[in-house]
């Protein structure tokens, strides 16, 4: 077994260390989500935490880590006779992003269950993590069906494995720790709320601190055991402090005034539900115990709010996590006790977060979650861009380019889907063969059986019962009789936006509406678990503003800063999109693309721009790319150029008004694939 990097040797990252240590003191806090860029010691810190956790007493031989004094009555290895327990180190169990359902919850031998009536169960990672730490690196990339299983286990403290009426249950209470890079996409709100705390981490910009990080890492890589031995004293002291805080924790007093501050804070920041109040109370109590105090102070409440609320106050996927600290201080002052006011005289705590002599405790750097209001140059107007070749006017950049326009208010869109039946990543957009969904048929299993089709299995075994010498009521089932259920659900797609940012779209009011429509589609893509990409075209060329990614936030940020102006190289935009899709088909051939072209259909610049755009559209059609054209043409006189482009693409055209889900223009619009319209 490799020697883990010592927790106390981590340089900086006070907030990360504090969040983990508070969970070590009080596992009831509910875990921690670590958000930050790559290479910031997220995984190193989590793996190092296990060495500081107290040992766990377990029933000897129990694969489910039952406690000797109170074993789980439903334990598959039970019932357990009274016996002295044995102690083992706390476990850190890592859940790979690509793990199967059976690897997470365990596997049940269906063949033995049917033929012998035996519940032969192989425990999964949830059983291994019981009474320990379940660590999910890149938790934002976890498949939806695994997220659902984690939510169920976290809510009930137990894991259920069911296969056609045969079920096994075992306890699964664990400290959930996740790390993620926000650039790669956000978490579902349901899972986000399951993390008690969240911390933001980033690499230090201080030269001396960066030098020390490199020095320690190189020393550890050269001699892990020797490096760990040099930090053994600090590790032991920190372990003793955690144990002392755990002993003190039940004696910490949470006064009525402090409870009112917690409730007022959660109400002021409009968090959903009551979990935030409970987590804040537990966190503030743990902070007091960590500082060696028996009473919770206003400073503890403030620090608890900075750790427990940022990820719960997001109103939509594009809100940055964070709290307005001035508003937080005002709320704490208004709800604070009216007598004895020592807690409220200085609402800004020191860097140690309430007496912490080490091991973290700094206040997390926060970003205001509200959108920056548009500047005066972003206010709506109906001015048209200057014609090409005219002198530049004041306030307009050279070349006819205009400053970015703020997006209009997003709205709920109609669902655009890819026709046919795919086999891509699980999601919520287009029909696909998936592991979860409604049963549509049965096939012979290829490899391990995961989803039994009971009726098909019985039908396959029934004709052979006499030949197999069946006697009695049991059904004689062989391996060849087993049938795997085929299921149909929904998949996530690659939604590639091709946005016209040329002068023909540059009337600020119209571009604001266009950005609002694309932002609405991005919100829809976030909810349906799609990958997204962004291609823009204007002037003389097209650019890949954002390569395909799971981070819808990044796409929204690029859209917000998109300038406009110049000619309309529509063909260049379509050809650039073709290049992007060609590469993505090689990287992820099972994920089907959906091309969304946002334009008024005009094409200018170069010889025969309209004909060239038509040929580029037919290229997409020949490869079967599903497409939709969002027609941005406005005014009384409509040329219908976007509709012509949609026909060249073999897709469908919708206006901005028709894109709204509450539009009376029709119901769900499926994109017509190439060839279907012919």
């Amino acid at each position: 077994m490799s020697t883990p990097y010592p927790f106390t040797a981590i340089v900086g990252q006070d907030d990360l260390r504090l969040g983990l240590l508070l969970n070590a003191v009080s596992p009831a806090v509910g875990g921690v989500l670590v958000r930050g860029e790559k290479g910031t010691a997220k995984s190193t810190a989590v793996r190092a935490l296990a060495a500081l956790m107290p040992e766990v007493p377990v029933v000897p031989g129990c694969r489910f880590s039952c406690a000797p004094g109170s074993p789980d009555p439903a334990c598959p290895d039970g019932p357990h006779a009274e016996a002295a327990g044995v102690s083992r180190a706390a476990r850190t169990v890592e859940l790979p992003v690509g793990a199967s359902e059976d690897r997470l919850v365990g596997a049940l031998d269906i063949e033995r269950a049917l033929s012998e009536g035996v519940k032969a169960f192989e425990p999964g990672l949830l059983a291994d993590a019981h009474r320990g730490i379940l660590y999910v690196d890149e938790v934002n990339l976890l498949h939806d069906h695994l997220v659902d299983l984690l939510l169920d286990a976290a809510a009930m403290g137990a894991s259920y494995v069911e296969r056609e009426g045969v079920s096994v249950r075992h306890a699964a209470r664990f400290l959930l720790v996740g790390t993620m890079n926000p650039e790669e996409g956000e978490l579902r709100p349901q899972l986000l709320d399951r993390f008690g705390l969240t911390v933001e981490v980033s690499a230090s910009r201080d030269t001396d601190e960066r030098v020390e990080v490199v020095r320690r890492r190189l020393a550890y890589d050269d001699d892990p055991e020797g490096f760990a031995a040099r930090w053994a004293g600090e590790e032991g002291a920190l372990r003793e402090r955690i144990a002392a805080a755990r002993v003190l924790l039940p004696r910490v007093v949470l006064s009525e005034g402090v409870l009112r501050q917690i409730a007022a804070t959660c109400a002021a920041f409009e968090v959903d539900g009551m979990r935030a109040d409970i987590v804040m109370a537990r966190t503030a109590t743990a902070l007091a115990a960590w500082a060696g105090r028996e009473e919770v102070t206003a400073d503890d409440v403030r620090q608890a709010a900075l750790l427990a609320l940022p990820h719960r106050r997001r109103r939509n996927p594009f809100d940055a996590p964070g709290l307005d600290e001035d508003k937080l201080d005002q709320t704490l002052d208004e709800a604070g006790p009216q007598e004895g006011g020592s807690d409220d005289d200085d609402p800004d705590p020191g860097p140690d977060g309430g007496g912490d002599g080490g091991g973290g405790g700094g206040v997390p750097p926060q970003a205001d979650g509200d959108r920056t209001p548009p500047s005066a140059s972003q206010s709506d107007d109906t001015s048209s861009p200057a014609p090409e070749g005219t002198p530049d006017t004041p306030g307009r950049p050279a070349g006819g380019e205009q400053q970015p326009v703020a997006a209009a208010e997003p709205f709920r869109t109609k669902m655009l889907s890819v026709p046919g039946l795919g086999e891509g990543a699980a999601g919520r957009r287009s029909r696909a063969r998936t592991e979860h969904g409604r049963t549509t048929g049965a096939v012979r299993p290829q490899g391990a059986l995961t989803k039994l089709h009971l009726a098909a299995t019985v039908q396959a075994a029934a004709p052979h019962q006499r030949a197999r010498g069946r006697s009695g009521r049991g059904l004689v089932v062989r391996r060849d009789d087993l049938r795997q259920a085929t299921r149909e659900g929904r998949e996530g797609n690659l939604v590639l936006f091709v946005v016209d940012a040329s002068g023909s779209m540059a009337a600020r009011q119209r571009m604001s509406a266009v950005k609002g429509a694309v932002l609405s589609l991005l919100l829809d893509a976030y909810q349906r678990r799609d990958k997204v990409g962004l291609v823009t075209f204007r002037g003389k060329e097209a650019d890949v503003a954002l390569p395909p990614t799971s981070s819808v936030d990044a796409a929204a940020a690029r859209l917000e800063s998109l300038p406009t102006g110049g000619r309309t190289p529509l063909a260049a935009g379509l050809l650039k999109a073709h290049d992007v899709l060609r590469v993505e088909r090689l990287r992820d051939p099972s994920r089907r693309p959906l091309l969304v072209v946002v334009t008024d259909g005009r094409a200018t610049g170069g010889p025969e721009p309209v004909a060239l755009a038509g040929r580029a559209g037919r290229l997409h059609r020949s490869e079967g790319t599903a497409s939709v054209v969002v027609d941005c043409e406005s005014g009384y006189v409509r040329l219908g150029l976007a509709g012509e482009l949609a026909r060249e693409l073999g897709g469908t055209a919708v206006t901005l008004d028709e894109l709204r889900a509450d539009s009376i223009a029709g119901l769900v619009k499926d994109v017509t694939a190439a060839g279907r319209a012919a």
Side-chain angles (χ1 to χ4, degrees):
M1 183 177 178
S2 61
T3 303
Y5 192 91
F7 190 88
T8 50
I10 296 172
V11 179
Q13 306 297 8
D14 292 342
D15 309 314
L16 168 60
R17 292 187 290 143
L18 178 62
L20 293 172
L21 289 170
L22 291 177
N23 277 276
V25 171
S26 176
V29 166
V32 60
L33 174 66
V34 186
R35 297 166 47 93
E37 58 197 32
K38 52 186 178 293
T40 48
K42 301 188 297 292
S43 300
T44 299
V46 174
R47 295 187 179 105
L49 179 66
L52 304 175
M53 301 285 284
E55 291 191 336
V56 179
V58 297
V59 173
C62 178
R63 298 175 296 167
F64 301 87
S65 302
C66 283
S70 55
D72 181 9
C75 176
D77 285 354
H80 297 296
E82 293 186 9
V86 296
S87 295
R88 61 161 175 79
R91 292 173 179 163
T92 297
V93 177
E94 295 192 32
L95 171 60
V97 170
S100 66
E101 179 180 335
D102 285 346
R103 184 72 187 98
L104 177 62
V105 300
L108 190 64
D109 192 330
I110 298 297
E111 186 175 0
R112 291 188 62 190
L114 287 177
S115 59
E116 303 175 27
V118 176
K119 292 183 181 180
F121 182 69
E122 185 65 28
L125 295 176
L126 289 180
D128 293 340
H130 179 48
R131 304 176 67 200
I133 302 171
L134 181 63
Y135 170 47
V136 189
D137 193 13
E138 306 294 351
V139 63
N140 50 323
L141 303 182
L142 201 62
H143 289 301
D144 275 1
H145 68 284
L146 297 182
V147 170
D148 293 336
L149 293 171
L150 272 182
L151 290 174
D152 290 342
M156 297 184 294
S159 174
Y160 292 85
V161 183
E162 297 192 7
R163 295 288 188 272
E164 301 296 342
V166 181
S167 64
V168 173
R169 174 208 168 276
H170 65 82
R173 290 181 293 275
F174 46 82
L175 172 61
L176 183 61
V177 180
T179 58
M180 61 174 285
N181 184 347
E183 294 179 356
E184 296 174 342
E186 281 293 345
L187 276 176
R188 284 172 52 183
Q190 295 93 331
L191 183 57
L192 198 63
D193 189 51
R194 287 295 175 185
F195 287 99
L197 311 179
T198 184
V199 294
E200 297 278 340
V201 296
S202 60
S204 173
R205 298 297 182 258
D206 181 76
T207 301
D208 293 336
E209 191 167 296
R210 294 175 74 97
V211 168
E212 185 61 24
V213 170
V214 175
R215 182 184 292 117
R216 293 186 187 183
R217 186 68 210 191
L218 292 177
Y220 171 78
D221 291 340
D222 290 341
D223 182 12
E225 293 183 0
F227 184 82
R230 291 196 293 274
W231 289 88
E234 287 84 349
E235 290 283 288
L238 189 57
R239 193 178 296 109
E240 291 176 2
R241 184 175 176 185
I242 292 173
R246 282 195 167 197
V247 172
L248 179 62
L249 185 67
R251 303 202 300 271
V252 175
V253 176
L254 197 65
S255 67
E256 183 70 20
V258 166
L259 279 174
R260 293 191 66 83
Q261 283 185 312
I262 292 172
T265 301
C266 293
F269 286 99
E270 299 180 351
V271 295
D272 295 329
M274 296 297 298
R275 184 174 284 116
D277 304 62
I278 297 171
V279 170
M280 269 192 66
R282 290 171 174 167
T283 304
T285 303
L287 280 164
W290 178 244
R293 289 183 273 100
E294 294 189 4
E295 184 174 353
V296 176
T297 67
D299 290 351
D300 296 327
V301 176
R302 188 181 194 277
Q303 182 72 70
L306 292 172
L307 292 170
L309 296 188
H311 60 304
R312 291 186 165 89
R313 65 157 299 277
R314 290 168 58 112
R315 311 314 298 175
N316 68 63
F318 308 141
D319 284 341
L323 294 181
D324 183 337
E325 295 193 39
D326 291 337
K327 179 179 178 180
L328 174 60
D329 292 335
Q330 181 181 355
T331 302
L332 292 175
D333 287 342
E334 292 174 352
Q338 301 301 314
E339 55 183 2
S342 58
D343 289 344
D344 297 323
D345 291 339
D346 182 13
D348 186 16
D352 293 336
D356 179 14
V363 176
Q366 302 296 332
D368 188 357
D370 297 329
R371 286 186 174 274
T372 303
S375 63
S377 63
Q378 293 176 321
S379 61
D380 290 343
D381 64 59
T382 57
S383 60
S384 300
E388 293 181 2
T390 60
D392 296 327
T393 56
R396 177 179 286 115
E401 179 180 304
Q402 293 191 4
Q403 292 296 327
V405 183
E409 189 70 20
F411 52 84
R412 190 167 64 89
T413 67
K414 292 179 179 178
M415 188 179 77
L416 306 174
S417 62
V418 179
L421 194 63
E423 294 181 351
R428 301 177 182 177
R429 184 172 296 278
S430 305
R431 293 174 54 221
R433 297 184 184 90
T434 60
E435 294 184 3
H436 300 269
R438 64 185 182 89
T439 301
T440 58
V443 296
R444 290 181 181 272
Q446 303 294 324
L449 179 71
T450 56
K451 298 291 184 183
L452 178 74
H453 194 298
L454 182 58
T457 298
V458 172
Q459 187 175 8
H464 308 291
Q465 296 304 294
R466 182 174 299 176
R468 294 173 183 174
R470 171 187 173 185
S471 60
R473 302 175 60 183
L475 187 67
V476 181
V477 179
R478 303 281 172 81
R479 175 68 186 176
D480 290 343
D481 301 328
L482 299 179
R483 296 293 183 269
Q484 176 89 15
T486 58
R487 301 182 181 230
E488 182 180 310
R490 293 280 173 178
E491 68 177 358
N493 298 108
L494 166 59
V495 182
L496 182 62
F497 294 94
V498 181
V499 179
D500 185 348
S502 66
S504 68
M505 303 286 290
R508 304 184 71 78
Q509 189 172 4
R510 187 199 302 184
M511 197 61 202
S512 176
V514 168
K515 283 189 175 184
V518 178
L519 189 64
S520 303
L521 290 167
L522 285 171
L523 279 166
D524 182 67
Y526 166 79
Q527 294 166 350
R528 301 191 187 282
R529 316 300 289 175
D530 295 316
K531 288 180 69 174
V532 296
L534 179 63
V535 173
T536 64
F537 59 93
R538 65 187 180 89
K540 297 181 179 180
E541 60 185 12
D543 296 311
V544 180
L546 182 71
T549 175
S550 297
S551 177
V552 178
D553 289 20
R558 301 293 172 87
L559 178 72
E560 189 171 357
S561 61
L562 178 66
T564 58
R567 294 186 181 274
T568 311
L570 177 56
L574 295 175
L575 292 174
K576 181 68 73 173
H578 179 266
D579 291 341
V580 172
L581 294 180
R582 177 178 54 81
V583 174
E584 285 302 309
R585 285 190 179 97
L586 296 175
R587 290 178 176 172
D588 190 359
S590 63
R591 188 182 288 270
R592 298 187 294 163
L594 172 60
L595 184 67
V596 179
V597 185
V598 185
T599 181
D600 57 8
R602 297 182 184 181
T604 60
E608 299 183 346
V610 176
L612 188 58
R615 287 198 295 272
R618 290 192 293 275
L619 179 61
H620 283 283
R621 179 174 184 171
S622 67
E623 296 188 352
T625 302
S627 59
V628 62
V629 178
V630 180
D631 184 358
C632 303
E633 190 174 27
S634 60
Y636 294 106
V637 179
R638 304 179 68 88
L639 303 179
L641 297 176
E644 290 292 336
L645 176 62
R647 282 188 284 275
E648 297 286 10
L649 287 164
T652 303
V654 295
T655 65
L656 289 174
D657 289 338
E658 291 173 340
L659 192 62
R660 294 178 177 271
D662 55 0
S663 169
I664 61 174
L667 301 176
V668 172
K669 263 193 180 298
D670 285 340
V671 180
T672 304
R676 289 189 51 160

